[in-house]
Amino acid sequence: MRPTGVALVNIDGTTWVRGSELLLRFKQNGFTVTGSYVFVDSSDPDPSGIGRREVPLKPKHTAGLVGMWEEHGKGRIGLEAY
């Protein structure tokens, strides 16, 4: 018989997650620049039954940059990159 869908199954055991986030903002004359950095360290039980492994498909490092111009009564425009 052929499968007709996808099944999501939780792994046995406990997933450990720890991390930190850094957020910096600079404002001057209607312009705002915001930078962010996130570090995540996560592990779960190894399916082989021995030890732990890094959680698959989970980014360890993430960064972003947002630039925006805003003037009250006129509007705002911005650009984001992650």
Side-chain angles (χ1 to χ4, degrees):
M1 182 173 195
R2 200 170 172 188
T4 59
V6 175
L8 296 176
V9 180
N10 289 331
I11 191 168
D12 289 332
T14 303
T15 299
W16 296 340
V17 180
R18 64 183 176 172
S20 60
E21 179 178 16
L22 175 66
L23 182 68
L24 301 170
R25 182 171 290 146
F26 174 77
K27 290 183 168 191
Q28 185 175 11
N29 299 329
F31 290 97
T32 304
V33 177
T34 305
S36 63
Y37 169 76
V38 178
F39 170 78
V40 176
D41 182 26
S42 53
S43 66
D44 58 20
D46 195 303
S48 70
I50 302 171
R52 301 186 66 78
R53 68 171 183 176
E54 189 173 310
V55 174
L57 303 177
K58 176 70 179 147
K60 200 175 226 4
H61 306 277
T62 307
L65 186 64
V66 177
M68 187 174 72
W69 170 83
E70 180 177 17
E71 188 169 327
H72 185 70
K74 288 192 175 182
R76 72 178 88 158
I77 188 166
L79 181 65
E80 299 181 29
Y82 290 92

